[in-house]
Amino acid sequence: MCGIVGYVGHRPALDVVVGGLRRLEYRGYDSAGVALLDGQGGLSVERKAGPLANLEAKLAQVDAGRLTGTAGMGHTRWATHGAPTDRNAHPHRSTAGDVAVVHNGIIENHLPLRAELEAAGIELTSDTDTETAAHLVALAYAGADGGAATKGDLVASVRAVAGRLEGAFTLLVTHAAEPDMIVAARRSSPLVLGLGEGETFLASDVAAFIEFTRDAVELGQDQVVTITREGYTVTDFAGEPVGAAPFRVTWDLAAAEKGGHDYFMLKEIEEQPTAIADTLRGHFIDHKIVLDEQRLSDQELRDIDKVFVVACGTAYHSGLLAKYAIEHWTRLPVEVDLASEFRYRDPVLDRSTLVVAISQSGETADTLEALRHAKDQKARVLAICNTNGAQIPRESDAVLYTHAGPEIGVAATKTFTSQIAANYLVGLALAQARGTKYPDEVAREFRELEAMPAAVAATLQNLDAARALGRELAGSKAVLFLGRHVGYPVALEGALKLKELAYMHAEAFAAGELKHGPIALIEEGLPVIVVMPSPKGRAVLHAKLLSNIQEIQARGAHTVVIAEEGDETVRPFAEHLFEVPAVPTLLQPLVSTIPLQVIAAEIARARGFDVDKPRNLAKSVTVE
Ligand code: F6R
């Protein structure tokens, strides 16, 4: 959460920074701000509560002469400490105004630091944890904290202050007296460096600078990085130089633009066939499933006797689906945990346990901490992630990347279906290692997965009625979702999409539970969306769900049914029927999810909401 961008180069920094913030706004949009170094000792800060557009309107009023310079930084905020107001917007400055700081994360010991600063007579002007860092750096740079080694040395000052901070943070720091550099410190929050010709970038995400360069550098934990026009240096918090791994970003600016759609989310829904195909590509070589990174031996994989899947939100729903596939293909027991609950319930883990951490961003704090807990208990950790070089894959023993490309809409869509594909690849990799499937069976399952992009593309061709239904349901107070077997996680995901996008009460149930309580919710006109199993693949469950639909219809429910093409038995009970292609049972979620995404987006649009930026949410949740 929070997006950060820093630039030292030859272009007008304001344009680069504001352009970068535009692409990082998915990380938070409570306020935005910029700090610009004019190269002659001037440091200007402008900030404004609300989305970036508010800041841009303010910048348009400001004397342009003040906002010149080719070095600067910016911030788009998802508020943690302090309300989303102008005074709490970043950048925060020292009392003399010569130091500016932007921050992503939480400084957990900010209260004692605040007390220490106040005792020294410094007046803090915001409610944020971040402001403490600005004052501490200013004191260190001035040598006023007794630190002779930091006096007049911005890098040493930032290092010294970073060493005092607890919690998770990425800090970018500028000093008016150092107009040609930005110094950053990083612990457990994302930061990536971009390298251009005579220009260097820092950002929470490569999307911020992809327009200018695809050459990036991964930064590690507890590191301080200094950027100048000429390049960069990286040290640890003790000042020892450390290496950093360059990489080339595989997607470009066009992938991060809306491509003719009103919202990124709508474009991302359309991109699902490509995202799934790209996720599968290159993972079946010489008749074997291969992961992207594997620091586990075949023997270690064979020794696995239990699997836990940990994830949050949509990624958790994909994890629920992983359970069906992994148990079916490997006969290993699989538990799926909300990452935020995992370590607090003291799960039974040892070196023959595999923990699969699923995260689009690779930086979700709950998932990262669950992974760290698993590693402390000697479990093996495999990450499924959409972000190259993020913290979760870096700390894992094996990695499979979903190659969904950048997902800017805050609600996960293409990364959900890509995660499902990746989960199934992991299931097949385990089945292959353990010999619970013959090579030709693994090959057959993979071929079936490979056919899915076409099935998803066919589903996408047929969504006008789903859009119309979305508009029709916009006035509803609540919507229920029912599913069974792999249709149940799909129902959960459908309900989550509706909650987060349309701010509507939405609840999903395993249909077998209906008579154990939830049926009491059914009343005249209540929309109930049912994800039907295949009448061929899951005939027994299909029959049971058919009875459930009749029961709720008899009680006045407005029935909306997602069913396999040619499933005529359900037609008489469906007021709205959406057909999806017939595919193997485990793969049905890849198609049945699509109409639910579209219905949720359409309801939200009809209610007048911004589907890319739902209220109160941020794309990546880097605080617990
Ligand atoms: C919902 C959504 C969230 C994320 C969750 C985990 O549309 O996007 O529920 O799925 O916050 O995020 P990652 O996958 O980045 O760990």
Side-chain angles (χ1 to χ4, degrees), residues 109 120 140 164 168 188 216 231 241-242 270 329 343 435 491 496 499 509 525 533 623:
N109 58 335
R164 295 195 61 197
S188 296
V242 287
E270 298 281 331
W329 289 334
R343 66 192 167 122
L496 177 62
K499 283 177 220 182
F509 301 104
V623 290

Side-chain angles (χ1 to χ4, degrees), residues 1 29-30 78-79 410 500 503 613-618 621:
M1 359 194 65
Y29 28 85
D30 288 331
W78 189 85
V410 163
E500 64 183 334
Y503 320 147
K613 298 192 201 103
R615 70 182 178 204
N616 304 336
L617 294 179
V621 185

Side-chain angles (χ1 to χ4, degrees), residues 312-316 358-364 367 392 407 410-413 419 493 496-497 500 618-621:
C312 303
T314 291
Y316 170 76
I358 309 172
S359 174
Q360 183 283 130
S361 60
E363 59 185 53
T364 298
T367 312
I392 288 174
E407 191 176 63
V410 163
T413 51
Q419 280 163 356
E493 176 61 8
L496 177 62
K497 288 285 95 79
E500 64 183 334
K619 183 79 186 160
S620 68
V621 185

Side-chain angles (χ1 to χ4, degrees), residues 201-366:
F201 305 79
L202 283 168
S204 310
D205 180 334
V206 291
F209 55 72
I210 193 71
E211 183 180 354
F212 304 108
T213 179
R214 287 164 73 174
D215 291 316
V217 179
E218 270 181 42
L219 297 167
Q221 289 303 337
D222 290 6
Q223 293 186 348
V224 170
V225 54
T226 306
I227 63 164
T228 61
R229 285 178 187 83
E230 288 71 44
Y232 66 99
T233 53
V234 188
T235 70
D236 60 20
F237 283 179
E240 290 300 317
V242 287
F247 65 98
R248 185 129 176 101
V249 183
T250 53
W251 46 272
D252 58 14
L253 180 61
E257 302 286 359
K258 284 185 197 152
H261 293 271
D262 290 347
Y263 289 100
F264 281 107
M265 183 188 166
L266 305 181
K267 169 176 169 258
E268 289 156 5
I269 288 174
E270 298 281 331
E271 286 173 345
Q272 291 181 100
T274 313
I276 297 167
D278 287 350
T279 297
L280 297 174
R281 185 165 298 121
H283 290 115
F284 191 63
I285 298 173
D286 289 339
H287 312 289
K288 284 193 79 173
I289 301 286
V290 285
L291 305 178
D292 288 311
E293 291 168 25
Q294 191 168 324
R295 298 175 274 273
L296 287 175
S297 67
D298 283 353
Q299 189 57 48
E300 283 167 330
L301 273 186
R302 271 193 290 280
D303 288 344
I304 300 295
D305 61 13
K306 184 168 50 170
V307 179
F308 286 87
V309 180
V310 293
C312 303
T314 291
Y316 170 76
H317 296 154
S318 90
L320 293 173
L321 292 165
K323 176 180 168 79
Y324 293 92
I326 299 175
E327 288 188 339
H328 183 59
W329 289 334
T330 68
R331 309 314 297 154
L332 284 169
V334 181
E335 287 188 46
V336 190
D337 273 63
L338 290 166
S340 52
E341 290 292 320
F342 182 68
R343 66 192 167 122
Y344 300 106
R345 75 170 175 89
D346 196 15
V348 183
L349 304 163
D350 58 34
R351 56 181 72 249
S352 55
T353 309
L354 178 70
V355 174
V356 179
I358 309 172
S359 174
Q360 183 283 130
S361 60
E363 59 185 53
T364 298
D366 288 315

Side-chain angles (χ1 to χ4, degrees), residues 480 482 514 519 521-530 544-561 569-577:
L480 298 189
L482 297 178
L514 206 55
I519 199 164
L521 291 169
I522 306 291
E523 59 186 17
E524 194 62 39
L526 178 76
V528 181
I529 302 184
V530 186
K544 290 185 193 301
L545 215 53
L546 208 55
S547 306
N548 291 143
I549 298 180
Q550 292 170 65
E551 288 154 13
I552 58 172
Q553 204 179 36
R555 287 163 178 80
H558 180 70
T559 55
V560 177
V561 179
T569 50
V570 78
R571 197 175 286 279
F573 313 109
E575 282 157 62
H576 296 270
L577 179 63

